[in-house]
Amino acid sequence: MQKLKLNFNNTFRKELSADPIVESYPRQVQHAAYSEAMPIKVQQPKTIIVASEVAQMFNFTEEFISSDDFAQIFTGNKLIEGMQPYAMCYGGFQFGNWAGQLGDGRAINLGEVITDKHGSQTLQLKGAGPTPYSRTADGCAVLRSSVREFLCSEAMYHLGVPTTRALSLCLTGEHIIRDIMYNGNAAPELGAVVCRVSSSFMRFGSIQLPAMRRDLKLLTQMVNYSITHDFPHLLPQNGKGSDTESKAALISKETYLAWFNEICETTSDLIIHWMRVGFVHGVMNTDNMSIIGETIDFGPYGWIDNFDLGWTPNTTDSQNKRYRFGGQSVISLWNLCQLANSLVPLIGSVEELQAKVESYTKMYEQKWHKMMMSKLGLTANLADEKEETLLAKNLEVLLEEAETDMTIFFRLLATFDFSENEMNSTQISKILIQHFKPCYYNLEQLDDAYIEKLTLWMSKYHERFTLETYNDSDRALKMNKVNPKYVLRNYLSQQAIDKAENGDFSEIHRLHELLKNPYDEQKKYDKYAAKRPDWAKNKVGCSMLSCSS
C-alpha cells in the first residue's frame, strides 16, 4: 500500500490574513482571506470514480486509488500530514445585485500541493460539511449535483476549455434533504463529495469583498497574492527569485493594470470557448468567475441542443435570462467592470481601468470572429472581417429559425463535399435537406422559405471557401478539431444520475471515458452523439436545472 505523502506548501494560509475564530459557526468574517474549516465525518465513504490523469498529477498509484484510505481521505474523514483545511472568504454580485459576503459554503480546501510537473495544485472537497460561510445550509452535496460536477469539469478539460479539474467522486453513506426545484417537495438524497483541483480557486469576489468593505490592507494582500502566485510573469524582473514580501513590495500601479488586462484576456478566451462548444454556465455571478480564467462552479449549467441564443438552463433565471447563452460575453464584461471598480483604490484613478474595459468588446468580437471562422473551416482574414462576420451571424439566424442541433450541424457541415455537389444544381436544395436532416428537431419547420435561406447561405459559404488553398477533406479535418462530436448533453448526465441513484455507476464511467476524446468519431459510442430525445425536452435535470442541481 502506498503511504500517501504529499508536498504541501499551503501559501494561501501562510501569506494571507486568517479569521482568528476557529469555530465553524455561520458569521460575518472581517479582515480575513479564509477561515479554518474541518470536514465532517461521514458514515460509509465509497469511491465511485477517479480521473486517472488527475491522479497522476499527484503520483497516486492504482493500489492507493482502490484502497479504503483513498475514500476516507477524499471525503474528509481522514487528514494526512500537511493538510490544513480552510474555507475561502469572498463576496459577489448575484444576478446583478451585491450579495455581500458569500465564501466557500460547501467547499473546504485541504491544502496546496507542489506537484512534479504541474506546479502548485489545490485539493478542494466540495460537499464536505459546513463552514463559517454556509449561512443556513449544511455544507453538503448530493449525488446528482456531484455527478454533474465531476463529469462536466473533466469533459470541459478534454474539449480544450480552461476549467477546474475533478480528481474523484465519492459517496458518503449519508442521506441529505434537498428540495430540487424549490417547490416544497424536499426529499432525502444520497450524499457525495467531489475533490476538485486547480492552481487557484480565487474568484472576482475574492477581490470585491475587501474592496466593498474598504479594507485596503486585505485588498492589497489579495491582489498581490494573486499576482505573485497566479501571474508571476507580471512581476518586475528584479523581484524574481526573492521572497514573497520583497516581490510584493515591487508591485506597482503598472503591475496592477497588467494583471487586470490579463484577466480581461483570459476571461474573454474562456467565454469564446464556451460559445465554441455550446456551453451555458447558467450562473455567472462574480463569485463564480475565476481570477485565472477557468470554468468554475458547475451548477445549473447546460449544453445547447437546438441552437438558441436566448436559452438558459437555470430555472432561477428563466424570466430575465440574464445568463442566457448569447448573453455570456456581455455579462463577462459587466463582471469585469465590477472587478475594475474594486481596483480603483490600488490604481488611484478610473481612466486607465476604464480604457481597458472599453477595449474589451472589440477584443471579444475579434476573438469571436476568429473562433467562428475556425468552426467553419475557414482562415480568418481581418481584412474581410465584416463580410466573414456577416456570414457567421447569418448562420446563427438560420440555426435559430428551425430547431437545429448545433453540435450535429457543424459535424455535418464538415462532411458536405462541394466537389461532389454543385451549388448551382437544380437538385441542390433537396441534397442539402437530405444531408442536414439528422440535425433538425422538427422537420415541419423546413418549409420552402427556410430551404431557400439554407441554400443561399450554403452558396455564400461555398463562395468564401473557394478562396482557401485546401480541399473539402482538409476543411473537414480542420472543422472536426474544433467542433466536438460528443458533448455532455444534460439528458446524458441525467441518465447517468438515475442509474447511479440506484447503485449502478457504469454510465458515469462510460461517459467519462467517451468524453476523453470528444472530437473523435468513436463509432461504438455513436448513440451518445444523437439529438436530445423528445422525452428530455422539458424533463427536470435535462432542460430545467435549479441552483440546487
Side-chain angles (χ1 to χ4, degrees), residues 253-413:
K253 180 181 80 169
E254 287 67 33
T255 313
Y256 291 137
L257 286 167
W259 175 77
F260 179 69
N261 185 67
E262 191 149 334
I263 292 172
C264 290
E265 286 277 358
T266 56
T267 299
S268 65
D269 289 339
L270 178 64
I271 309 303
I272 288 292
H273 275 297
W274 289 358
M275 300 304 291
R276 174 177 65 84
V277 300
F279 177 78
V280 190
H281 186 278
V283 59
M284 289 175 64
N285 296 329
T286 62
D287 55 300
N288 295 333
M289 297 294 293
S290 164
I291 284 290
I292 60 172
E294 291 184 340
T295 315
I296 192 171
D297 289 341
F298 296 92
Y301 66 80
W303 297 86
I304 287 294
D305 292 312
N306 56 291
F307 186 85
D308 181 358
L309 291 170
W311 183 72
T312 176
N314 189 349
T315 56
T316 309
D317 197 26
S318 60
Q319 184 173 356
N320 296 322
K321 296 188 176 183
R322 177 181 176 85
Y323 299 137
R324 63 193 182 279
F325 179 48
Q328 294 183 125
S329 64
V330 174
I331 293 301
S332 68
L333 172 58
W334 191 92
N335 289 342
L336 286 163
C337 287
Q338 310 319 310
L339 180 61
N341 288 337
S342 299
L343 301 179
V344 172
L346 300 180
I347 305 297
S349 65
V350 300
E351 288 78 16
E352 289 164 296
L353 287 165
Q354 187 172 344
K356 294 190 180 299
V357 167
E358 288 177 350
S359 67
Y360 182 82
T361 299
K362 181 62 176 176
M363 174 179 67
Y364 178 86
E365 287 173 351
Q366 290 181 344
K367 290 181 179 181
W368 183 89
H369 165 251
K370 185 177 180 180
M371 177 272 290
M372 285 301 294
M373 290 302 101
S374 71
K375 283 182 74 66
L376 293 171
L378 304 174
T379 306
N381 182 359
L382 289 179
D384 294 326
E385 182 179 358
K386 186 175 180 179
E387 285 300 313
E388 290 178 348
T389 297
L390 183 61
L391 181 70
K393 291 291 186 182
N394 285 342
L395 175 59
E396 288 189 334
V397 173
L398 189 69
L399 293 177
E400 279 197 299
E401 187 161 327
E403 287 187 74
T404 311
D405 192 286
M406 171 181 156
T407 304
I408 298 175
F409 175 85
F410 279 101
R411 295 293 287 205
L412 289 174
L413 184 61

Side-chain angles (χ1 to χ4, degrees), residues 18-30 32 34-38 87-90 100-104 130-136 209 213:
D19 175 7
I21 302 173
V22 177
E23 291 79 9
S24 218
Y25 61 88
R27 60 183 179 274
Q28 289 292 304
V29 176
Q30 302 287 339
Y34 68 91
S35 302
E36 291 190 18
M38 291 296 293
M88 297 170 69
C89 181
Y90 49 83
Q101 176 184 293
L102 297 167
D104 286 335
T131 75
Y133 312 104
S134 299
R135 299 187 288 276
T136 60
L209 184 60
R213 288 173 166 175

Side-chain angles (χ1 to χ4, degrees), residues 145-290:
S145 61
S146 302
V147 168
R148 287 171 53 79
E149 173 100 25
F150 179 90
L151 287 176
C152 195
S153 54
E154 289 306 289
M156 294 292 269
Y157 172 79
H158 291 291
L159 282 165
V161 181
T163 181
T164 57
R165 300 295 302 273
L167 168 65
S168 59
L169 167 62
C170 298
L171 285 173
T172 63
E174 314 281 340
H175 279 84
I176 312 298
I177 303 297
R178 286 291 185 272
D179 185 348
I180 184 172
M181 296 303 294
Y182 304 128
N183 59 7
N185 294 314
E189 298 188 49
L190 294 172
V193 174
V194 172
C195 181
R196 307 198 293 187
V197 177
S198 176
S199 61
S200 174
F201 283 100
M202 287 185 68
R203 300 112 185 290
F204 285 16
S206 302
I207 310 303
Q208 290 170 324
L209 184 60
M212 294 293 277
R213 288 173 166 175
R214 295 179 171 79
D215 188 342
L216 183 58
K217 179 181 178 182
L218 182 58
L219 172 64
T220 306
Q221 271 190 357
M222 297 298 288
V223 176
N224 288 358
Y225 178 87
S226 177
I227 292 170
T228 303
H229 293 278
D230 302 328
F231 302 84
H233 55 280
L234 298 179
L235 288 168
Q237 289 298 313
N238 58 352
K240 291 184 178 180
S242 58
D243 60 70
T244 302
E245 287 188 8
S246 299
K247 290 178 181 179
L250 293 167
I251 294 174
S252 63
K253 180 181 80 169
E254 287 67 33
T255 313
Y256 291 137
L257 286 167
W259 175 77
F260 179 69
N261 185 67
E262 191 149 334
I263 292 172
C264 290
E265 286 277 358
T266 56
T267 299
S268 65
D269 289 339
L270 178 64
I271 309 303
I272 288 292
H273 275 297
W274 289 358
M275 300 304 291
R276 174 177 65 84
V277 300
F279 177 78
V280 190
H281 186 278
V283 59
M284 289 175 64
N285 296 329
T286 62
D287 55 300
N288 295 333
M289 297 294 293
S290 164

